[in-house]
Amino acid sequence: MNTSVSILFYIKRAKVNSLGVCPIYARVTINAKRFEFSTNKYISPEKWSSEGTKVKGSNEEARTINSHLDYLKNQVLEAEKRLFKKDIPVSTENLKNELFGLAETKRMLVPIFQDHNNKIKELVGKEYAPGTLERYTTSLKHTIEFMQWKYNISDIDITKIDHAFITDYEFWLRSVRNCANNTAVKYIKNFNKIIKICLANDWIDKNPFANYKSKVKEVERVYLTEDEVQAIIEKEFKTERLSLVRDIFLFSCFTGLAYIDVKNLTKSHISFGIDGERWIFTHRQKTESASKIPILPVTQMIIDKYQNHPQSNNQEKLLPILSNQKMNAYLKEIATVCEIEKELTFHIARHTFATTVTLTNGVPIESVSKMLGHKNLRTTQHYAKVLDRKVSEDMKTLKDKFSSSFKLNSKEA
């Protein structure tokens, strides 16, 4: 066994006492890092051999102290061997703990989780969206509530987290918290990130998620049909607030931008694209991915309509958008007035852009993905799956054509 541990005994001359003797210390060095401890032995400076790092002579005092120093050296080397057997890295901290029987510092889950959240908080607006911080804050809250429910504790040593902890946590989310499948899976996924931090730092040896499997269920995205979009466009509203909400909603239907991205738009985000026409150049707040969207005629009419709106000018925004909560509340009124039997929310506009406005009209999925700011084409393909109705309608036309053009003779020749 090649050891990287060196041991040196020396006297601390600066700590000479009233009897004129100095304490003997041991210095243990591992890869240029070291720790020291007292041997609890004392000797006169003139009796100490700095070259031999032991007491001079062979009298009884010298034999007793030197024998004790040899014992301490052997204790250090034995501690090193035990670390190797336990497959624990030989470091100054680990060797000191092993040598003196010190309990390893427990690493608790909540401080690690909170430290992760604090770092996200510092990077909100730079690398993370506010919603990400909110999601992890809620996840930590749920984790603490689960531990209180299951174990009657508010924190846990991370080495105690096992497969049963994960499965019980998921059960609690689904039963006590009444979370839907995808919501429960997302909270578990957030928790998994904290476990990955622990694994990366070698704070835990085993991954409690090793045999855990969960699956996000695909949710059918609600979107508006062409007739429903047209009904909203043609409807005349008596109140200005409903008219405004309708226009902002339609703006999203024809750009695919999410609420927060529409809210953040300024006039500087509009420029000329590669074709010489006006485009919107922005970045999604959620993923920070670029979105480059050609401006359609309906979009331009809405921009022109609110070009000189006081709220837009005061806030230096492209459009005078209300809060997301108010927008969704008013959209429900609009759905009722327009006789749309769907729970209308602002995000449905983004789904409508992906399906009714683009994919249904033959825009290639790669182009749709780029405009939506998706980082992965698979995300966009979810929208393509909801277009079975369009396939059915197209095939019905083909069936009608074949029914009238081709008629098989029922009689055998």
Side-chain angles (χ1 to χ4, degrees), residues 21-36:
V21 294
C22 302
I24 303 174
Y25 269 73
R27 176 183 296 156
V28 181
T29 305
I30 304 174
N31 299 329
K33 293 183 179 181
R34 65 193 187 188
F35 69 90
E36 300 174 349

Side-chain angles (χ1 to χ4, degrees), residues 142 170-181 183-184 187:
H142 285 344
E170 182 185 4
F171 171 77
W172 179 85
L173 287 168
R174 294 177 182 276
S175 58
V176 179
R177 289 297 309 175
N178 197 29
C179 293
N181 177 79
T183 304
Y187 282 129

Side-chain angles (χ1 to χ4, degrees), residues 223-391:
Y223 63 96
L224 297 183
T225 64
E226 186 175 338
D227 290 340
E228 289 168 335
V229 172
Q230 193 62 40
I232 294 176
I233 292 175
E234 295 175 353
K235 190 68 178 180
E236 291 187 10
F237 297 99
K238 296 179 181 179
T239 60
E240 184 180 344
R241 62 178 173 84
L242 288 182
S243 180
L244 170 64
V245 171
R246 183 266 309 274
D247 293 342
I248 306 298
F249 177 78
L250 288 173
F251 181 88
S252 181
C253 284
F254 288 93
T255 60
L257 291 172
Y259 168 82
I260 190 63
D261 300 319
V262 175
K263 183 179 180 181
N264 291 337
L265 283 181
T266 65
K267 293 178 182 178
S268 64
H269 286 108
I270 296 179
S271 188
F272 290 99
I274 193 171
D275 55 0
E277 300 292 334
R278 288 157 67 87
W279 287 40
I280 295 174
F281 295 86
T282 186
H283 283 78
R284 290 192 66 198
Q285 180 169 298
K286 182 178 179 180
T287 60
E288 295 186 351
S289 54
S291 286
K292 301 176 183 179
I293 311 154
I295 295 177
L296 297 172
V298 175
T299 312
Q300 187 60 54
M301 284 190 288
I302 295 170
I303 293 173
D304 293 341
K305 181 176 180 179
Y306 295 97
Q307 185 175 7
N308 297 315
H309 194 281
Q311 184 180 334
S312 301
N313 293 335
N314 291 338
Q315 298 177 354
E316 297 183 353
K317 299 293 184 181
L318 184 66
L319 297 170
I321 192 168
L322 305 178
S323 70
N324 196 21
Q325 186 178 8
K326 287 184 177 179
M327 292 286 291
N328 286 331
Y330 295 151
L331 281 170
K332 287 176 175 55
E333 289 187 45
I334 290 174
T336 301
V337 173
C338 295
E339 298 181 351
I340 296 174
E341 296 181 358
K342 292 174 182 175
E343 188 174 347
L344 204 56
T345 64
F346 195 89
H347 206 65
I348 286 178
R350 183 170 167 82
H351 299 168
T352 301
F353 174 80
T355 54
T356 304
V357 174
T358 55
L359 290 173
T360 303
N361 287 300
V363 178
I365 193 169
E366 293 82 3
S367 298
V368 177
S369 184
K370 193 172 184 64
M371 288 187 285
L372 289 172
H374 287 163
K375 290 185 175 181
N376 195 315
L377 190 63
R378 284 180 298 178
T379 307
T380 320
Q381 285 172 339
H382 290 307
Y383 292 106
K385 291 178 182 178
V386 304
L387 298 178
D388 290 343
R389 183 182 301 174
K390 178 67 167 56
V391 173

Side-chain angles (χ1 to χ4, degrees), residues 181-231:
N181 177 79
N182 291 2
T183 304
V185 170
K186 285 179 181 179
Y187 282 129
I188 294 294
K189 185 179 179 181
N190 293 342
F191 184 75
N192 190 17
K193 185 182 178 184
I194 308 304
I195 295 299
K196 286 180 179 178
I197 292 173
C198 297
L199 286 166
N201 285 283
D202 293 323
W203 295 336
I204 55 177
D205 299 323
K206 295 181 179 179
N207 183 3
F209 278 92
N211 297 313
Y212 172 82
K213 291 184 179 180
S214 63
K215 188 175 182 181
V216 175
K217 293 181 180 178
E218 189 173 319
V219 178
E220 184 175 344
R221 289 167 168 81
V222 179
Y223 63 96
L224 297 183
T225 64
E226 186 175 338
D227 290 340
E228 289 168 335
V229 172
Q230 193 62 40

Side-chain angles (χ1 to χ4, degrees), residues 123-170:
L123 295 174
V124 167
K126 299 175 184 177
E127 294 184 22
Y128 298 100
T132 303
L133 174 61
E134 182 180 353
R135 179 158 46 87
Y136 277 103
T137 301
T138 304
S139 185
L140 173 56
K141 176 175 171 287
H142 285 344
T143 304
I144 294 172
E145 289 177 357
F146 160 69
M147 290 189 294
Q148 291 171 337
W149 174 80
K150 178 67 178 180
Y151 307 104
N152 198 28
I153 57 175
S154 57
D155 205 352
I156 189 172
D157 183 341
I158 57 173
T159 61
K160 304 297 182 185
I161 298 173
D162 54 13
H163 180 79
F165 184 100
I166 307 300
T167 54
D168 286 342
Y169 186 18
E170 182 185 4

Side-chain angles (χ1 to χ4, degrees), residues 45-61:
E46 64 272 12
K47 295 180 181 180
W48 180 256
S49 171
S50 297
E51 294 79 13
T53 67
K54 63 180 181 178
V55 179
K56 298 175 184 177
S58 58
N59 57 31
E60 185 178 351
E61 181 187 37

